[in-house]
Amino acid sequence: MNNYENQLYQSLMVGDYAGEGDLIQLITDDEADDISQQENYSSEIPILSVRNTVLFPGVVIPITVGRQRSIKLVKKAQRGDKLIGVCAQINPNNDDPSWEDIYHVGTLAKIIKMIVLPDGNTTIIIQGKKRFQITDTLTEDPYFTAKVAYLEENFPKNSKKIEALEESLKDAAAKILHLNPEIPREAQVALDNIDNTPFLTHFLSSNINAPVEAKQKLLEINDGVERATLLLEFMMKDIQMLELKSEIQKKVHTDIDQQQRDYFLRQQMKVLQTELGEEGPEKEVEELRLKGAKKKWPQAVAKHFEKELDKILRINPSAAEYPIALNYAETLVELPWNELTEDNFDLKRAKEILDKDHHGLEKVKERVIEYLAVLKLKNDLKGPILCLYGPPGVGKTSLGKSIAKALGRKYIRMSLGGVHDEAEIRGHRKTYVGAMPGKIIQNMKKVKTSNPVYVLDEIDKLSSDFRGDPSSAFLEVLDPEQNSTFTDNYLEVEYDLSKVLFIATANSLDSIQPALRDRMEIIEVTGYTMEEKLEIAKKHLIPKQRKEHGLKAKDLSFDKTAIAKIIEDYTRESGVRSLERAVGKVVRNVAKSIAMEEEYSKKITPEAVRKILGGEIFDKEMYQDNSVAGVVTGLAWTSVGGEILFIETALSRGKGKLTLSGQLGDVMKESAMTALSYLKSKAEKLGIDYRVFDQYDLHVHVPAGAVPKDGPSAGITMLTAMASLYTQRKVKSKIAMTGEITLRGKVMPVGGIKEKILAARRAGLKEIILCQKNKRDIEEIDEQYLKGINFHFVDNVDQVLEIALMKSKVEEPMKFTFTSEINNN
């Protein structure tokens, strides 16, 4: 390295930890070679302790010597061989260190030059020669002397790992030079000229931004690979800190520059607009005023809007309130005030659209046609609030889209599942930061008409917390007498929602607030029958899946029995979502065969369905004939349709204990207790020995014990099962029943009749016992689903037992024995 590069490197910063030595110089290549060679150095040398500095072999640094002991040592060495040992102090604040206060691994140094300053201090420029370790301390006065052992540099020759480490160290040093603008760029030239690996590690160790403890650790490591690796780790930490510092500074400068740039641009734009006669804020306000003049809004809203525009003109455009006021005025003018789409009053066309899009659902379609008819005659009907209530997957949400299509209106759907903030419905006051209108107004603004079909999906899933109760906010929205003056917190003026056709959907009515439920016209959407599902699959699901999977009608067709198998064996639901997924799986299998040019059957049969979908998931519910007393078939309603269930009873010697099993709910348990109490009161009439109730335990079980069951509809079924067991009279074959009982023996009506009858029909039952008041439910069911079933309508339990129980006892009736008989014997 030449003298010019030596001078350049003198400006390299040592770091925050540089103390007595504030210049670090390079040595020449010749000197580096001399240091690396073996020399006969004395084993007894004077020791100079230095603060905040660690000297490494091959590095030249200046040191200011101020302590008397150190001055004596330096002067003595200068007169002799000029060799001294340099060790770093452990505690730099100690002015009179002892042997315990200095590190015992240091560097032999040669005094190159000594300068005596006017203030009495002495500055020496020293050059590191060789690392040593103190083996024995000799003297402390007049200065430290010690016996030392010299440490050799241990760097493997011709090692790929050393070459890689050397390159990595140089790259890291170059990156530090790039990231730190205070280091002169010429320092890179100095680094590039170092080709001695030991000296490279010593040189970089001297210059890293690290405390004395870290540098001392590097000095003490004998293994060259280990030292270079640790040095690289320190340098990478330094790079990370420099990168973070650079990123922070860059971001701060960018933010300031952007603000200044925006300010100057605004000023220039203002000058240009003034020259052109187009004032910015005034122009925007005038445009809004022109839009407002064309709106069909009420007079009160028009005055409020003009007042807001005048307020905007008084606000400084650079003030924080300006964009808030401007956004508010834009929201007002963009809302559809009395802007209506024309309704299509062609009732036949509307009926065709509803029939095409949805199979079944006659009640709902009839109600929509009624609404259209009244609107056609009167032309000023306020929008009714319809609530479609039923199980998942029956088409409640998609029905809203079909109604919008039939009416020729715009369509909006708002999902209410999980909404628990009242502000999402009513909005925030515009004084809040980030305020905006509620979703009702936002959607009206988006649809740009005042009379859309507005579907409020999953209204039963609304929840409340500390942010308010959204269901209470809907009380105004869904009240035909109040929603003409709906007030959003953000708007501050009344908005007319009376022309909106609101359609709510719900899976359950129990979770809907009673006041909210009272405002809606509840239309029950029952589950589809087997026959309806077949038609839906043929007309809607299969064509839809074929189209979605890129197939044509000629590529695939379904046999009717194959569709029936999918419905019965692979789905159990009221709707058709699972059916659509199963059909989609079959279609995908065919699509794969076509894409891979495999042979396949274009006609899907039940065998092909089983091959594609695997084994049947559900067993078909079939009536299980029995020859024992105490087993009765009941009918139950579930969220996926109707099912048959069996009530089993058994007696055992005991003390009259009643046991109920099968995961029964509280209402069902109460039905069992009511049935037993009634049976005890009528024991003599039924020919039952009263002692059996005290000396035999009764166990009532409902199979499928893992499935929770509840409700009062199994009341007459439980009573019949108990009566059959105690009287040992069999129940008629292929008969089922459903109904609630009272303690006086009255039979009460229950719900879900359509689903229960369909379940009985699927199971092959021939007779059904129902409450007399459930006769009205039968009248609403299509006659084709009632064929082959004989209905018995009853008012009291006596009629139930008369119809259900056979006159004769079972072939081997149970023999009851009582305690008194045993004692007499």
Side-chain angles (χ1 to χ4, degrees):
M1 179 175 292
N2 57 36
N3 291 332
Y4 174 71
E5 290 169 345
N6 267 324
Q7 292 171 2
L8 287 175
Y9 182 66
Q10 289 178 10
S11 62
L12 283 174
M13 78 172 196
V14 179
D16 297 335
Y17 300 96
E20 294 173 346
D22 45 1
L23 286 176
I24 297 180
Q25 297 179 337
L26 290 178
I27 61 171
T28 65
D29 292 338
D30 294 338
E31 288 172 329
D33 292 338
D34 292 340
I35 289 168
S36 63
Q37 294 172 359
Q38 294 287 341
E39 294 186 20
N40 294 322
Y41 296 123
S42 173
S43 61
E44 293 184 9
I45 57 173
I47 302 297
L48 175 67
S49 62
V50 294
R51 290 182 281 200
N52 299 323
T53 302
V54 177
L55 176 66
F56 286 83
V59 178
V60 177
I61 63 171
I63 293 177
T64 299
V65 182
R67 292 185 287 225
Q68 289 302 315
R69 180 191 292 174
S70 300
I71 292 172
K72 289 177 184 178
L73 183 152
V74 169
K75 288 182 177 179
K76 178 74 184 290
Q78 178 69 10
R79 292 193 297 269
D81 57 6
K82 299 184 179 181
L83 293 174
I84 61 174
V86 178
C87 293
Q89 278 186 215
I90 296 172
N91 181 7
N93 298 320
N94 193 340
D95 289 331
D96 188 19
S98 62
W99 284 110
E100 289 76 17
D101 296 323
I102 65 173
Y103 291 104
H104 282 213
V105 173
T107 302
L108 180 69
K110 184 175 182 179
I111 300 174
I112 297 174
K113 192 170 184 179
M114 184 173 73
I115 304 169
V116 179
L117 302 174
D119 61 358
N121 289 334
T122 301
T123 296
I124 58 173
I125 298 174
I126 59 175
Q127 178 191 55
K129 289 289 185 182
K130 199 174 186 66
R131 297 182 303 119
F132 65 78
Q133 182 166 6
I134 296 174
T135 56
D136 192 16
T137 58
L138 299 177
T139 64
E140 289 191 17
D141 288 319
Y143 45 77
F144 290 141
T145 58
K147 186 173 276 190
V148 299
Y150 293 100
L151 304 174
E152 298 299 328
E153 300 299 334
N154 182 15
F155 281 88
K157 292 184 177 180
N158 301 322
S159 169
K160 294 289 184 185
K161 190 169 186 179
I162 286 294
E163 290 178 12
L165 280 171
E166 185 175 345
E167 289 298 321
S168 298
L169 288 170
K170 285 186 176 182
D171 290 345
K175 197 161 190 178
I176 290 173
L177 289 171
H178 175 71
L179 290 170
N180 195 336
E182 297 177 14
I183 301 175
R185 299 299 96 189
E186 292 82 357
Q188 181 66 50
V189 180
L191 278 171
D192 292 340
N193 282 277
I194 298 176
D195 56 3
N196 184 299
T197 306
F199 177 62
L200 178 65
T201 60
H202 293 151
F203 168 66
L204 292 175
S205 298
S206 294
N207 285 278
I208 59 170
N209 190 14
V212 171
E213 293 82 3
K215 293 185 177 183
Q216 181 67 31
K217 188 175 180 181
L218 289 169
L219 184 69
E220 293 176 0
I221 296 173
N222 289 322
D223 184 81
V225 174
E226 184 182 348
R227 185 195 306 158
T229 304
L230 183 60
L231 173 60
L232 185 61
E233 184 180 327
F234 288 149
M235 293 178 75
M236 294 310 293
K237 288 181 180 176
D238 199 15
I239 288 170
Q240 288 178 353
M241 289 299 294
L242 286 169
E243 285 177 341
L244 185 60
K245 182 179 175 182
S246 175
E247 185 181 340
I248 292 169
Q249 290 176 345
K250 185 178 178 182
K251 188 175 186 302
V252 172
H253 284 306
T254 302
D255 290 345
I256 294 172
D257 292 345
Q258 185 65 36
Q259 290 175 11
Q260 291 174 341
R261 180 175 176 275
D262 291 348
Y263 173 76
F264 286 126
L265 286 174
R266 282 197 195 95
Q267 292 302 314
Q268 290 173 4
M269 190 167 64
K270 191 174 181 181
V271 171
L272 290 171
Q273 287 172 341
T274 304
E275 290 292 328
L276 294 170
E278 296 179 0
E279 293 295 331
E282 290 79 2
K283 184 72 175 176
E284 282 183 321
V285 171
E286 285 306 313
E287 287 177 358
L288 288 173
R289 208 182 295 274
L290 288 173
K291 287 182 181 178
K294 298 176 184 177
K295 302 299 286 187
K296 302 174 185 177
W297 47 23
Q299 191 63 31
V301 178
K303 286 182 180 178
H304 178 78
F305 179 69
E306 290 293 329
K307 186 179 177 183
E308 288 296 320
L309 293 183
D310 294 340
K311 189 189 296 182
I312 291 172
L313 292 173
R314 294 194 297 270
I315 301 174
N316 188 332
S318 60
E321 295 83 2
Y322 183 80
I324 295 173
L326 193 63
N327 286 339
Y328 175 69
E330 287 174 350
T331 301
L332 280 176
V333 82
E334 286 173 9
L335 278 172
W337 300 86
N338 295 316
E339 295 170 21
L340 309 174
T341 55
E342 189 175 345
D343 287 326
N344 191 327
F345 295 122
D346 188 344
L347 303 187
K348 291 182 180 179
R349 173 184 168 274
K351 192 173 188 310
E352 285 174 5
I353 290 173
L354 293 174
D355 288 338
K356 182 183 176 183
D357 292 349
H358 291 83
H359 189 83
L361 307 180
E362 301 303 329
K363 272 189 185 180
V364 187
K365 291 190 281 192
E366 185 181 344
R367 179 65 186 87
V368 175
I369 298 300
E370 287 174 359
Y371 166 74
L372 271 174
V374 176
L375 185 60
K376 182 178 181 179
L377 296 173
K378 200 175 179 184
N379 206 28
D380 64 348
L381 178 70
K382 290 184 177 180
I385 315 298
L386 305 179
C387 179
L388 306 179
Y389 148 67
V394 293
K396 300 185 298 296
T397 306
S398 60
L399 192 63
K401 190 176 284 188
S402 297
I403 292 171
K405 185 178 174 184
L407 290 170
R409 290 190 178 189
K410 297 285 187 70
Y411 169 77
I412 307 173
R413 188 187 72 86
M414 177 179 173
S415 178
L416 299 176
V419 173
H420 46 249
D421 189 352
E422 184 185 344
E424 290 195 46
I425 311 302
R426 284 192 175 277
H428 302 82
R429 297 194 183 280
K430 67 175 186 287
T431 52
Y432 289 100
V433 176
M436 62 178 66
K439 286 187 176 180
I440 298 288
I441 295 297
Q442 284 182 42
N443 285 324
M444 296 301 292
K445 176 182 169 184
K446 190 186 300 181
V447 82
K448 299 187 183 303
T449 176
S450 291
N451 63 337
V453 173
Y454 205 128
V455 175
L456 301 169
D457 212 7
E458 310 287 357
I459 199 169
D460 57 324
K461 308 298 189 303
L462 284 171
S463 57
S464 59
D465 61 10
F466 64 93
R467 284 168 285 195
D469 183 5
S471 61
S472 297
F474 269 111
L475 294 178
E476 182 183 4
V477 176
L478 299 182
D479 190 338
E481 300 300 322
Q482 298 179 35
N483 62 12
S484 59
T485 56
F486 173 70
T487 305
D488 186 277
N489 289 330
Y490 182 82
L491 288 187
E492 297 179 353
V493 291
E494 296 175 351
Y495 188 83
D496 185 4
L497 294 174
S498 63
K499 295 177 179 62
V500 179
L501 174 56
F502 285 104
I503 299 176
T505 71
N507 298 131
S508 170
L509 298 178
D510 299 335
S511 56
I512 301 176
Q513 193 184 114
L516 183 59
R517 190 166 66 234
D518 184 60
R519 282 162 165 75
M520 299 185 292
E521 181 182 340
I522 307 295
I523 300 175
E524 186 176 2
V525 184
T526 57
Y528 295 115
T529 64
M530 170 72 173
E531 290 76 10
E532 287 173 337
K533 287 183 181 180
L534 272 169
E535 290 299 315
I536 291 169
K538 285 196 297 183
K539 293 181 180 178
H540 300 280
L541 303 184
I542 294 173
K544 178 184 174 185
Q545 290 299 318
R546 270 203 304 252
K547 183 179 178 182
E548 286 184 358
H549 292 87
L551 301 183
K552 298 178 181 177
K554 64 179 182 179
D555 296 328
L556 173 69
S557 64
F558 278 77
D559 189 77
K560 189 176 180 180
T561 55
I563 302 173
K565 183 172 180 64
I566 295 174
I567 295 169
E568 290 182 344
D569 297 339
Y570 296 94
T571 64
R572 182 161 292 181
E573 55 176 349
S574 293
V576 290
R577 282 205 184 106
S578 297
L579 175 58
E580 184 174 4
R581 283 193 289 269
V583 169
K585 190 172 182 181
V586 175
V587 175
R588 279 195 300 276
N589 187 273
V590 172
K592 181 203 74 172
S593 299
I594 294 173
M596 296 179 70
E597 298 181 355
E598 299 174 346
E599 289 188 6
Y600 73 98
S601 175
K602 293 185 178 181
K603 187 81 169 178
I604 301 298
T605 61
E607 293 75 22
V609 167
R610 196 179 195 285
K611 185 179 178 182
I612 295 169
L613 299 182
E616 291 82 356
I617 299 174
F618 301 105
D619 295 327
K620 190 177 179 182
E621 302 158 353
M622 293 303 295
Y623 171 75
Q624 300 172 7
D625 199 6
N626 60 81
S627 58
V628 297
V631 180
V632 182
T633 306
L635 299 174
W637 179 92
T638 69
S639 60
V640 295
E643 288 184 359
I644 64 170
L645 56 82
F646 299 96
I647 307 292
E648 301 176 349
T649 55
L651 286 172
S652 59
R653 294 288 299 180
K655 298 181 179 179
K657 179 183 175 185
L658 172 63
T659 303
L660 302 170
S661 61
Q663 214 177 145
L664 309 183
D666 292 338
V667 177
M668 208 164 181
K669 288 177 182 178
E670 289 169 3
S671 294
M673 290 186 282
T674 303
L676 183 59
S677 296
Y678 178 80
L679 206 60
K680 286 179 180 180
S681 67
K682 300 293 182 180
E684 186 176 349
K685 183 179 178 182
L686 294 171
I688 303 171
D689 193 320
Y690 69 91
R691 292 174 295 177
V692 74
F693 297 113
D694 296 326
Q695 299 183 24
Y696 281 83
D697 290 342
L698 174 62
H699 188 156
V700 179
H701 176 69
V702 183
V707 181
K709 310 168 193 73
D710 202 5
S713 61
I716 63 171
T717 316
M718 287 185 168
L719 178 70
T720 306
M722 292 176 191
S724 171
L725 181 66
Y726 283 119
T727 61
Q728 289 296 293
R729 290 162 60 186
K730 275 203 308 183
V731 179
K732 269 187 187 178
S733 177
K734 296 196 175 182
I735 190 169
M737 59 194 72
T738 181
E740 181 182 356
I741 62 166
T742 68
L743 206 55
R744 295 177 296 159
K746 295 286 184 183
V747 178
M748 306 292 287
V750 291
I753 297 300
K754 179 183 176 183
E755 287 82 0
K756 291 176 180 179
I757 289 172
L758 292 174
R761 194 165 180 266
R762 286 196 301 267
L765 297 170
K766 301 298 183 184
E767 295 182 74
I768 297 177
I769 301 176
L770 298 171
C771 174
Q772 184 70 39
K773 292 181 180 178
N774 281 127
K775 194 171 184 179
R776 61 176 180 265
D777 298 299
I778 300 294
E779 293 169 355
E780 294 181 1
I781 301 174
D782 197 321
E783 288 185 7
Q784 62 175 321
Y785 305 130
L786 306 177
K787 289 179 182 177
I789 299 178
N790 185 22
F791 292 95
H792 301 280
F793 299 102
V794 297
D795 290 315
N796 55 65
V797 171
D798 294 338
Q799 293 173 299
V800 175
L801 298 180
E802 182 69 27
I803 296 166
L805 297 183
M806 299 179 70
K807 301 298 181 184
S808 59
K809 295 187 177 183
V810 294
E811 295 176 3
E812 294 182 8
M814 178 180 179
K815 185 178 179 183
F816 297 107
T817 57
F818 302 106
T819 305
S820 58
E821 295 175 4
I822 296 170
N823 292 340
N824 290 337
N825 292 337

